[in-house]
Coordinates of all heavy atoms in Angstrom, one line a residue:
V1 N 61.6 19.2 -13.6 CA 63.0 18.9 -13.2 C 63.8 19.2 -14.5 O 64.9 19.8 -14.3 CB 63.2 17.4 -12.8 CG1 64.7 17.1 -12.7 CG2 62.5 17.1 -11.5
L2 N 63.4 18.9 -15.6 CA 64.1 19.1 -16.8 C 64.3 20.6 -17.1 O 65.3 21.1 -17.6 CB 63.4 18.5 -18.1 CG 63.4 16.9 -18.1 CD1 62.6 16.5 -19.3 CD2 64.8 16.4 -18.2
H3 N 63.4 21.4 -16.7 CA 63.4 22.9 -16.8 C 64.0 23.6 -15.6 O 64.1 24.8 -15.6 CB 62.0 23.4 -17.2 CG 61.5 23.2 -18.6 ND1 61.0 22.0 -19.0 CD2 61.6 23.9 -19.7 CE1 60.7 22.0 -20.3 NE2 61.1 23.2 -20.7
R4 N 64.5 22.9 -14.7 CA 65.1 23.4 -13.4 C 64.2 24.3 -12.7 O 64.7 25.4 -12.1 CB 66.4 24.1 -13.8 CG 67.6 23.3 -14.2 CD 67.6 23.0 -15.6 NE 69.0 22.6 -16.0 CZ 69.2 22.2 -17.3 NH1 68.2 22.3 -18.2 NH2 70.5 22.0 -17.7
T5 N 62.9 24.2 -12.6 CA 62.0 25.0 -12.0 C 61.7 24.5 -10.5 O 61.0 25.2 -9.7 CB 60.7 25.1 -12.7 OG1 60.0 23.9 -12.8 CG2 60.9 25.8 -14.1
V6 N 62.3 23.3 -10.1 CA 62.2 22.8 -8.8 C 63.6 22.4 -8.2 O 64.5 22.2 -9.1 CB 61.2 21.6 -8.7 CG1 59.8 22.0 -9.1 CG2 61.7 20.4 -9.7
T7 N 63.6 22.3 -7.0 CA 64.9 21.9 -6.4 C 64.8 20.6 -5.6 O 63.7 20.1 -5.5 CB 65.4 22.9 -5.3 OG1 64.3 23.1 -4.3 CG2 65.6 24.3 -6.0
D8 N 65.9 20.0 -5.3 CA 65.9 18.6 -4.6 C 65.2 18.9 -3.3 O 65.5 19.6 -2.4 CB 67.3 18.2 -4.4 CG 67.4 16.7 -3.9 OD1 66.8 16.5 -2.8 OD2 67.9 15.9 -4.6
P9 N 64.2 18.0 -3.0 CA 63.4 18.1 -1.7 C 64.3 17.9 -0.5 O 63.9 18.3 0.6 CB 62.3 17.0 -1.8 CG 62.2 16.7 -3.3 CD 63.5 16.9 -3.9
R10 N 65.4 17.2 -0.7 CA 66.3 16.9 0.5 C 67.5 17.7 0.5 O 68.4 17.6 1.4 CB 66.7 15.4 0.5 CG 65.5 14.4 0.4 CD 66.0 13.0 0.5 NE 64.9 12.1 0.0 CZ 64.9 10.8 0.2 NH1 65.9 10.2 0.9 NH2 64.0 10.0 -0.3
G11 N 67.7 18.7 -0.5 CA 68.9 19.5 -0.6 C 70.1 18.7 -1.0 O 71.2 19.2 -0.8
W12 N 69.9 17.5 -1.6 CA 71.1 16.8 -2.0 C 71.7 17.3 -3.4 O 70.9 18.1 -4.1 CB 70.7 15.2 -2.1 CG 70.5 14.7 -0.7 CD1 70.7 15.4 0.6 CD2 70.1 13.4 -0.3 NE1 70.5 14.5 1.5 CE2 70.0 13.3 1.1 CE3 69.7 12.2 -1.1 CZ2 69.6 12.2 1.8 CZ3 69.2 11.1 -0.4 CH2 69.3 11.0 1.0
V13 N 72.7 16.7 -3.7 CA 73.4 17.2 -5.0 C 72.7 17.1 -6.3 O 71.9 16.1 -6.4 CB 74.9 16.5 -5.1 CG1 74.7 15.0 -5.5 CG2 75.8 17.3 -6.0
R14 N 72.8 17.9 -7.2 CA 72.4 17.8 -8.5 C 73.7 17.9 -9.4 O 74.6 18.7 -9.0 CB 71.4 18.9 -8.9 CG 72.0 20.2 -9.1 CD 70.9 21.3 -9.3 NE 71.5 22.6 -9.6 CZ 72.1 23.4 -8.9 NH1 72.3 23.0 -7.6 NH2 72.6 24.5 -9.2
L15 N 73.8 17.2 -10.4 CA 74.9 17.4 -11.4 C 74.3 17.9 -12.6 O 73.4 17.3 -13.3 CB 75.5 15.9 -11.7 CG 76.0 15.2 -10.5 CD1 76.6 13.8 -10.9 CD2 77.1 15.9 -9.7
D16 N 74.8 19.1 -13.0 CA 74.2 19.8 -14.1 C 75.2 20.7 -14.7 O 75.4 21.9 -14.3 CB 72.9 20.6 -13.6 CG 72.3 21.3 -14.7 OD1 72.6 21.2 -15.9 OD2 71.2 22.1 -14.4
W17 N 75.9 20.2 -15.8 CA 76.9 21.0 -16.4 C 76.3 22.3 -17.0 O 77.1 23.3 -17.1 CB 77.5 20.2 -17.6 CG 78.4 19.1 -17.2 CD1 78.5 18.4 -16.1 CD2 79.4 18.5 -18.1 NE1 79.5 17.5 -16.0 CE2 80.0 17.5 -17.3 CE3 79.8 18.8 -19.4 CZ2 81.1 16.7 -17.8 CZ3 80.8 18.0 -19.9 CH2 81.4 17.1 -19.2
D18 N 75.1 22.3 -17.3 CA 74.5 23.4 -18.1 C 73.6 24.3 -17.2 O 72.8 25.1 -17.8 CB 73.6 22.8 -19.2 CG 74.5 22.0 -20.2 OD1 75.4 22.7 -20.8 OD2 74.3 20.8 -20.3
R19 N 73.7 24.3 -15.9 CA 72.8 25.1 -15.0 C 72.9 26.5 -15.3 O 72.0 27.3 -15.3 CB 73.1 24.8 -13.5 CG 74.5 25.3 -13.1 CD 75.0 24.7 -11.8 NE 76.3 25.2 -11.5 CZ 77.5 24.8 -12.0 NH1 77.4 23.9 -12.9 NH2 78.6 25.4 -11.6
A20 N 74.2 27.0 -15.7 CA 74.3 28.4 -16.0 C 74.8 28.7 -17.5 O 75.3 29.7 -17.8 CB 75.4 29.0 -15.0
N21 N 74.5 27.7 -18.3 CA 74.8 27.8 -19.7 C 74.0 28.9 -20.5 O 72.8 28.8 -20.4 CB 74.7 26.4 -20.4 CG 75.3 26.4 -21.7 OD1 75.5 27.3 -22.4 ND2 75.8 25.1 -22.1
P22 N 74.7 29.9 -21.1 CA 73.9 30.8 -21.9 C 73.0 30.2 -23.0 O 72.1 30.8 -23.4 CB 75.0 31.7 -22.5 CG 76.2 31.5 -21.7 CD 76.1 30.1 -21.1
A23 N 73.3 28.9 -23.3 CA 72.4 28.2 -24.3 C 71.0 28.1 -23.8 O 70.1 28.0 -24.7 CB 73.0 26.8 -24.5
R24 N 70.8 28.2 -22.5 CA 69.4 28.1 -22.1 C 68.6 29.3 -22.4 O 67.4 29.2 -22.3 CB 69.5 27.8 -20.5 CG 70.1 26.5 -20.1 CD 69.9 26.2 -18.6 NE 68.5 26.1 -18.3 CZ 68.1 26.4 -17.0 NH1 69.0 26.8 -16.1 NH2 66.8 26.4 -16.8
R25 N 69.1 30.4 -22.8 CA 68.4 31.5 -23.3 C 67.7 31.1 -24.7 O 66.6 31.7 -24.9 CB 69.3 32.7 -23.6 CG 70.0 33.2 -22.3 CD 71.0 34.3 -22.7 NE 72.0 34.5 -21.6 CZ 73.2 35.0 -21.6 NH1 73.6 35.4 -22.9 NH2 73.9 35.3 -20.6
T26 N 68.3 30.3 -25.4 CA 67.7 29.8 -26.7 C 66.9 28.5 -26.4 O 65.7 28.5 -27.0 CB 68.8 29.4 -27.7 OG1 69.7 30.6 -27.9 CG2 68.3 29.0 -29.0
V27 N 67.3 27.6 -25.6 CA 66.7 26.3 -25.3 C 66.6 26.3 -23.8 O 67.5 25.9 -23.2 CB 67.5 25.1 -25.9 CG1 66.7 23.9 -25.6 CG2 67.6 25.4 -27.4
P28 N 65.4 26.7 -23.2 CA 65.3 26.8 -21.7 C 65.7 25.5 -21.0 O 66.3 25.6 -19.9 CB 63.9 27.2 -21.5 CG 63.5 27.9 -22.8 CD 64.3 27.2 -23.9
A29 N 65.4 24.3 -21.5 CA 65.7 23.1 -20.9 C 67.1 22.6 -21.2 O 67.4 21.4 -20.9 CB 64.6 22.1 -21.1
Y30 N 67.9 23.2 -22.1 CA 69.2 22.8 -22.6 C 69.9 22.0 -21.5 O 70.1 22.3 -20.3 CB 70.0 23.9 -23.0 CG 71.2 23.6 -23.8 CD1 71.2 23.5 -25.2 CD2 72.4 23.3 -23.2 CE1 72.3 23.1 -25.8 CE2 73.6 22.9 -23.8 CZ 73.5 22.8 -25.2 OH 74.6 22.5 -25.9
P31 N 70.5 20.8 -21.9 CA 70.6 20.2 -23.3 C 69.3 19.4 -23.7 O 69.4 18.7 -24.8 CB 71.8 19.3 -23.2 CG 71.8 18.8 -21.8 CD 71.2 20.0 -20.9
F32 N 68.3 19.4 -23.0 CA 67.1 18.7 -23.3 C 66.2 19.5 -24.2 O 66.3 20.8 -24.2 CB 66.3 18.4 -22.0 CG 66.9 17.5 -21.0 CD1 67.6 18.1 -20.0 CD2 67.0 16.2 -21.1 CE1 68.2 17.3 -19.0 CE2 67.6 15.3 -20.2 CZ 68.2 16.0 -19.2
D33 N 65.4 18.8 -25.0 CA 64.3 19.4 -25.7 C 63.1 18.4 -25.5 O 62.8 17.6 -26.5 CB 64.6 19.5 -27.2 CG 63.5 20.2 -28.0 OD1 62.6 20.8 -27.4 OD2 63.5 20.1 -29.2
P34 N 62.5 18.4 -24.3 CA 61.7 17.3 -23.9 C 60.3 17.5 -24.6 O 59.9 18.6 -24.8 CB 61.5 17.4 -22.4 CG 61.8 18.9 -22.1 CD 62.8 19.3 -23.2
P35 N 59.6 16.4 -24.9 CA 58.3 16.4 -25.3 C 57.4 17.1 -24.2 O 57.7 17.0 -23.0 CB 57.9 15.0 -25.7 CG 58.8 14.2 -24.8 CD 60.1 15.0 -24.6
D36 N 56.2 17.5 -24.7 CA 55.2 17.9 -23.7 C 54.8 16.9 -22.8 O 54.9 15.7 -23.1 CB 54.0 18.5 -24.4 CG 54.1 19.7 -25.1 OD1 55.1 20.4 -24.7 OD2 53.5 20.0 -26.2
P37 N 54.4 17.1 -21.5 CA 54.1 16.1 -20.5 C 53.1 15.1 -21.1 O 53.3 13.9 -20.8 CB 53.6 16.8 -19.4 CG 54.3 18.1 -19.4 CD 54.3 18.5 -20.9
A38 N 52.1 15.5 -21.9 CA 51.2 14.6 -22.4 C 51.8 13.5 -23.4 O 51.3 12.4 -23.5 CB 50.0 15.3 -23.1
E39 N 52.8 13.9 -24.0 CA 53.6 13.1 -24.9 C 54.7 12.3 -24.4 O 55.2 11.4 -25.0 CB 54.0 13.9 -26.1 CG 52.9 14.7 -26.9 CD 53.4 15.6 -27.9 OE1 54.7 15.6 -28.1 OE2 52.7 16.4 -28.4
L40 N 55.1 12.7 -23.2 CA 56.4 12.1 -22.6 C 56.3 10.6 -22.4 O 57.2 9.8 -22.8 CB 56.7 12.9 -21.3 CG 58.1 12.6 -20.7 CD1 58.6 13.9 -20.1 CD2 58.0 11.5 -19.6
P41 N 55.2 10.0 -21.9 CA 55.2 8.6 -21.5 C 55.3 7.7 -22.8 O 55.9 6.7 -22.8 CB 53.8 8.4 -20.9 CG 53.5 9.7 -20.3 CD 54.0 10.7 -21.3
A42 N 54.9 8.3 -24.0 CA 55.0 7.5 -25.2 C 56.5 7.3 -25.7 O 56.8 6.5 -26.5 CB 54.3 8.2 -26.3
R43 N 57.4 8.2 -25.1 CA 58.8 8.0 -25.5 C 59.6 7.2 -24.4 O 60.8 7.1 -24.5 CB 59.4 9.4 -25.4 CG 58.7 10.5 -26.3 CD 59.1 10.4 -27.8 NE 58.6 11.6 -28.5 CZ 59.2 12.7 -28.7 NH1 60.5 12.9 -28.3 NH2 58.7 13.7 -29.4
L44 N 58.9 6.6 -23.5 CA 59.6 5.9 -22.4 C 59.1 4.5 -22.4 O 58.0 4.1 -22.8 CB 59.3 6.6 -21.1 CG 59.8 8.0 -20.9 CD1 59.2 8.7 -19.7 CD2 61.3 8.1 -20.9
Y45 N 59.9 3.6 -21.7 CA 59.6 2.2 -21.5 C 59.9 1.8 -20.1 O 60.9 2.3 -19.5 CB 60.4 1.2 -22.5 CG 60.3 1.7 -23.9 CD1 61.2 2.4 -24.5 CD2 59.2 1.3 -24.6 CE1 61.2 2.8 -25.9 CE2 59.1 1.6 -26.0 CZ 60.0 2.4 -26.6 OH 59.9 2.8 -27.9
P46 N 59.0 0.9 -19.5 CA 59.3 0.6 -18.1 C 60.6 -0.3 -18.0 O 60.9 -1.0 -18.8 CB 58.0 -0.2 -17.7 CG 57.5 -0.7 -19.0 CD 57.9 0.3 -20.0
L47 N 61.3 -0.1 -16.8 CA 62.5 -0.9 -16.6 C 62.3 -1.6 -15.2 O 61.8 -1.0 -14.3 CB 63.7 0.1 -16.4 CG 64.5 0.4 -17.6 CD1 65.7 1.3 -17.1 CD2 65.0 -0.8 -18.4
E48 N 62.9 -2.9 -15.1 CA 63.1 -3.5 -13.8 C 64.2 -2.8 -13.1 O 65.1 -2.2 -13.6 CB 63.3 -4.9 -14.0 CG 62.1 -5.7 -14.6 CD 62.4 -7.2 -14.8 OE1 63.4 -7.7 -14.3 OE2 61.4 -7.9 -15.2

């Protein structure tokens, strides 16, 4: 999802200011620079 390689399964709206931003040529997931999937859970905390 962060890299925009998938679409909404229901065809509902996405809000993405940077979907066509030329910055993505430099940072493909712009404005994100996400950790690798193996490292991602360590940056997150569960929420109620």
